Amino acid sequence: MYHPYLRGKQYDLITVKEMAPLMATSGFRPIIEPVRETLTGLNKALDAVVAAHGQAIVIVNPHHGDLSGAGDSLTELLNGAYLELPSISAGILLKQETTLKEALECYENHKAHNPVFIHAGFGAPKSLAENLGEFTKNNRHVFLDNLSMKLYQKHFKGAFRVLVKDGFKRQKRNSDYPDLEPFSDLHATFSEEGMDGFGDFLIVGDEFSESGGPAYAVAIHLTFIDHEQDDMMFIYHFKSNQQATPKDPAGKFAEALAKMMAIVDAPGSKVLDTKAIKEFRALHEEGHYPGLGYVKKLSMNHHIETLADYFAHSA
Amino acid sequence: MSDLAPARLATISRMFSSSVIREMARRGKSPLFTRLVSESRLSTSISRSQRVSAVFDAAFSLLKREGCRDEYIYKTALTHNILLGKHSLNTASMLNEFRVGECKADIAILNGTSTVYEVKSERDSLVRLEKQIAAYSRVFAQVYVIGADNHADSVARLTPSDVGILRLNSRQQITTVREAADRPDWTSPVAIFECVRTDEARLILQRLGVPIPVVPNTKLSAALGELFIQLDARKTHDAMVQVLKKTRNLLPLSDLVAHLPRSLHSAALSVPLRRSDHARLVAAVNTPLETAMAWT
């Protein structure tokens, strides 16, 4: 059903690890694109998925970060341990520059690994579908919304199809985010789009950046589903007041968090009281700043918990 | 000697940008470098069997001609002649693009005192100079402007007499036009607090024997800021120099610098890199051009 797409940075992987049991019981299947050379975080995340009897897709030819263009070493690492397991699938990323030959080679190498195609701008869908023949139907196909048209997706009709749409509208500077904006309705509409599953890039967005440097404003991103508005998902952006210098991220976090708690704890709040929110509340009470990566992780956890709750109650 | 077109110069300048260095360090190759080399047509004058380092050296020689020099050429001169020449990585540290208020100081060098260098190359304008000088003198004891000869008169006119002026000659030597005064007592503890990190502010206070308040970390920076208001300027400045020499110590980079061509020394000391990436950067720089021109 839900396929959260995560670039495997440290905290993305911790989210996968911590959310593994909930994702397993909810039938969620994370797609992980490894970006770090050290694979310990990835191993821990996948161990947690396996221990929870969950499922995951790991991209074996990543596009971003340390490992881009070095899929072979990654394949080597994964082949030994995880890809032999039926619950861990090999994700084959099909970019614009990927040739049909490369795609089919990668498929051949991972035929036994329950391969999933991630369509991200690939130029030869028809030939790929023809070459795969009947096998197409046994494979899962994930389409990145902005990179593949309906006509493209048609070639893979009959297979398990997943549409990934980036609900997060990234801004150049944190101070540019509106206080509140629509996020996505795909969780409520994917079956009407003829899809068997859906996904998003959580609250990070489909834009890979290595570091970004110190931020002048701190922003906490928080999603919620509005049952009074046809279950549309919205996102709050809570921003710090101080924005003139990159100094004092901790103090800025406290400012943003105070704004967030005022909304979350207001009577009739539409934000689900998740485990992540409880942790935010504890940080607010202690006046403690755990670091930006940790805050991002809490926002991601909250997003997954919110969607898990939605499907638990809509089924 | 024909003048190079500004667009081509800008392309060559970008070869020394942090993006190129970072790509090489992270991935062992830099498609951006390859693109810049072919756009700048440098690849036509260098044999394909030469290494990437030879291209950097060739690019550097083009940029260092008077009239063509960019900020990087000046920063390299400061790195070689002052940081690594007059001082060493054992005794001094260098800050690159250090944020001071709304400005960014090009280079500051810390040894016994602190000296900031504002670069005004042939390609820069002097519009912001007065504002920059005012901001820097609140944090650093000595302020120098190093610039092109076409700026010399204007710089002398725009700056107070305690601001030093340096020039860079055609042989990459720095000569002093006007000595800077050493004025640590004119710095401002609050301005210093505003541009150091919270952990550094704490170390400065500890050095001055001021007890650190026990508060949650979201309230720490504000609490430390309160304490700086009451400090003595000279003592705070001197403590800042000692603290930053430790927290911004460049000695761990000396091995990396030793393995890179001279033209890249300044870049290597300015772009923050993970230790594990050093070997990859060195390997990338030693790649034959033949291979490098196919980086994608």
Side-chain angles (χ1 to χ4, degrees):
Chain A
M1 180 188 322
Y2 176 43
H3 292 63
Y5 193 115
L6 299 117
R7 302 267 151 68
K9 287 193 188 179
Q10 189 191 358
Y11 279 97
D12 304 65
L13 293 168
I14 296 176
T15 285
V16 173
K17 191 179 85 179
E18 293 184 356
M19 290 292 109
L22 181 65
M23 289 198 285
T25 53
S26 307
F28 294 175
R29 192 182 298 221
I31 302 168
I32 304 165
E33 182 178 352
V35 292
R36 287 280 173 264
E37 193 176 28
T38 39
L39 294 169
T40 31
L42 179 62
N43 289 3
K44 279 186 195 163
L46 293 178
D47 281 345
V49 170
V50 173
H53 305 290
Q55 292 177 311
I57 299 160
V58 185
I59 290 175
V60 292
N61 57 338
H63 178 67
H64 289 290
D66 296 341
L67 294 161
S68 63
D72 291 347
S73 62
L74 176 69
T75 304
E76 222 167 88
L77 279 153
L78 289 171
N79 271 355
Y82 297 104
L83 287 174
E84 299 306 322
L85 303 170
S87 53
I88 308 292
S89 315
I92 300 170
L93 187 59
L94 303 175
K95 301 287 294 183
Q96 192 182 355
E97 58 270 27
T98 314
T99 62
L100 178 65
K101 187 164 163 283
E102 286 165 350
L104 291 170
E105 263 174 26
C106 198
Y107 176 70
E108 278 303 318
N109 290 338
H110 293 284
K111 223 171 177 171
H113 301 147
N114 195 12
V116 176
F117 290 99
I118 319 284
H119 300 271
F122 184 58
K126 190 159 179 253
S127 319
L128 178 69
E130 280 167 6
N131 273 281
L132 293 173
E134 270 307 296
F135 294 113
T136 314
K137 295 205 167 50
N138 302 331
N139 293 124
R140 211 167 260 247
H141 292 268
V142 175
F143 304 97
L144 302 196
D145 177 63
N146 55 336
L147 295 169
S148 69
M149 300 291 169
K150 282 262 173 287
L151 274 172
Y152 180 110
Q153 298 162 9
K154 232 174 81 179
H155 294 292
F156 305 94
K157 218 170 175 177
F160 191 100
R161 298 188 300 172
V162 176
L163 184 63
V164 173
K165 219 180 213 175
D166 187 5
F168 190 79
K169 293 168 206 67
R170 177 171 287 281
Q171 301 291 341
K172 257 210 158 74
R173 293 170 310 177
N174 277 339
S175 55
D176 293 340
Y177 285 104
D179 293 339
L180 174 67
E181 64 179 329
F183 184 82
S184 170
D185 60 4
L186 198 58
H187 54 282
T189 59
F190 67 90
S191 50
E192 274 153 55
E193 299 230 11
M195 290 289 151
D196 304 289
F198 78 100
D200 59 25
F201 293 89
L202 298 97
I203 49 90
V204 183
D206 178 18
E207 198 172 285
F208 181 76
S209 76
E210 281 285 0
S211 58
Y216 280 64
V218 165
I220 309 175
H221 310 290
L222 200 71
T223 46
F224 70 94
I225 290 173
D226 190 343
H227 301 297
E228 286 163 26
Q229 291 196 54
D230 300 322
D231 293 335
M232 178 79 189
M233 187 177 249
F234 290 85
I235 185 164
Y236 280 114
H237 306 286
F238 300 105
K239 292 156 290 173
S240 57
N241 302 326
Q242 308 176 55
Q243 313 188 332
T245 74
K247 252 190 93 78
D248 193 18
K252 289 174 185 170
F253 168 72
E255 291 174 0
L257 183 58
K259 290 184 189 172
M260 171 178 153
M261 292 325 299
I263 294 278
V264 166
D265 288 340
S269 162
K270 290 174 176 170
V271 178
L272 187 71
D273 197 15
T274 58
K275 276 190 193 161
I277 293 291
K278 291 187 170 68
E279 217 178 310
F280 272 125
R281 192 174 289 121
L283 292 171
H284 177 59
E285 278 157 16
E286 293 158 25
H288 179 68
Y289 171 59
L292 269 191
Y294 195 96
V295 173
K296 192 179 111 189
K297 180 202 80 176
L298 286 181
S299 290
M300 291 192 288
N301 288 5
H302 173 78
H303 182 69
I304 293 171
E305 289 186 71
T306 298
L307 283 167
D309 177 79
Y310 170 74
F311 287 109
H313 290 96
S314 70
Chain B
M1 207 189 291
S2 68
D3 271 335
L4 293 170
R8 189 171 172 225
L9 270 180
T11 307
I12 298 174
S13 282
R14 278 191 72 197
M15 291 174 55
F16 297 96
S17 68
S18 56
S19 330
V20 168
I21 305 300
R22 241 185 254 123
E23 266 189 355
M24 286 189 174
R26 286 224 173 96
R27 303 178 52 195
K29 59 179 186 177
S30 169
L32 176 59
F33 172 83
T34 308
R35 187 163 65 77
L36 295 171
V37 172
S38 55
E39 270 176 27
S40 65
R41 300 189 303 281
L42 273 174
S43 46
T44 54
S45 54
I46 297 167
S47 148
R48 293 279 164 135
S49 59
Q50 296 244 53
R51 292 165 196 275
V52 165
S53 55
V55 182
F56 279 118
D57 286 341
F60 193 87
S61 328
L62 286 175
L63 292 177
K64 79 176 182 200
R65 298 184 309 181
E66 248 172 305
C68 295
R69 299 185 297 202
D70 67 350
E71 187 181 277
Y72 186 74
I73 296 297
Y74 287 90
K75 284 185 169 181
T76 299
L78 291 166
T79 305
H80 278 140
N81 303 355
I82 299 185
L83 179 68
L84 304 172
K86 209 160 117 191
H87 312 300
S88 78
L89 294 183
N90 280 308
T91 59
S93 188
M94 178 173 83
L95 311 173
N96 179 57
E97 297 292 319
F98 187 73
R99 193 186 56 79
V100 179
E102 287 166 33
C103 309
K104 267 187 182 162
D106 290 319
I107 294 275
I109 291 178
L110 310 163
N111 54 319
T113 184
S114 69
T115 311
V116 65
Y117 299 89
E118 178 58 32
V119 174
K120 292 297 176 198
S121 80
E122 285 85 331
R123 304 189 208 169
D124 294 326
S125 92
L126 300 180
V127 175
R128 304 180 61 233
L129 184 61
E130 284 169 277
K131 203 174 156 191
Q132 288 168 322
I133 298 296
Y136 302 157
S137 52
R138 286 162 56 82
V139 174
F140 300 103
Q142 292 186 305
V143 180
Y144 274 104
V145 179
I146 179 166
D149 278 347
N150 61 330
H151 289 323
D153 291 343
S154 316
V155 170
R157 204 178 56 243
L158 288 170
T159 54
S161 61
D162 54 325
V163 170
I165 302 174
L166 304 174
R167 71 177 288 270
L168 184 63
N169 70 20
S170 53
R171 284 167 297 144
Q172 279 287 99
Q173 290 163 329
I174 295 171
T175 54
T176 306
V177 178
R178 189 165 80 192
E179 272 308 331
D182 188 30
R183 301 306 303 258
D185 47 325
W186 282 12
T187 59
S188 146
V190 172
I192 287 173
F193 170 77
E194 289 296 332
C195 61
V196 299
R197 300 189 297 244
T198 305
D199 61 312
E200 291 164 340
R202 181 211 289 264
L203 291 168
I204 290 170
L205 289 169
Q206 276 172 348
R207 234 171 206 284
L208 298 173
V210 179
I212 306 298
V214 182
V215 293
N217 68 356
T218 53
K219 302 202 166 72
L220 184 63
S221 180
L224 299 184
E226 288 292 316
L227 295 171
F228 268 77
I229 295 171
Q230 297 148 49
L231 296 180
D232 171 77
R234 177 190 291 270
K235 283 184 188 155
T236 309
H237 167 269
D238 293 353
M240 170 193 81
V241 170
Q242 295 312 315
V243 166
L244 294 186
K245 271 173 77 171
K246 285 211 178 72
T247 57
R248 318 268 177 139
N249 179 18
L250 296 176
L251 195 57
L253 294 176
S254 45
D255 199 43
L256 173 65
V257 169
H259 285 89
L260 291 173
R262 274 178 73 82
S263 56
L264 283 182
H265 288 176
S266 179
L269 291 168
S270 310
V271 182
L273 299 174
R274 296 182 293 193
R275 174 110 212 160
S276 55
D277 286 345
H278 291 183
R280 239 191 313 261
L281 174 58
V282 172
V285 166
N286 286 312
T287 307
L289 193 53
E290 178 91 65
T291 315
M293 289 314 290
W295 280 341
T296 51

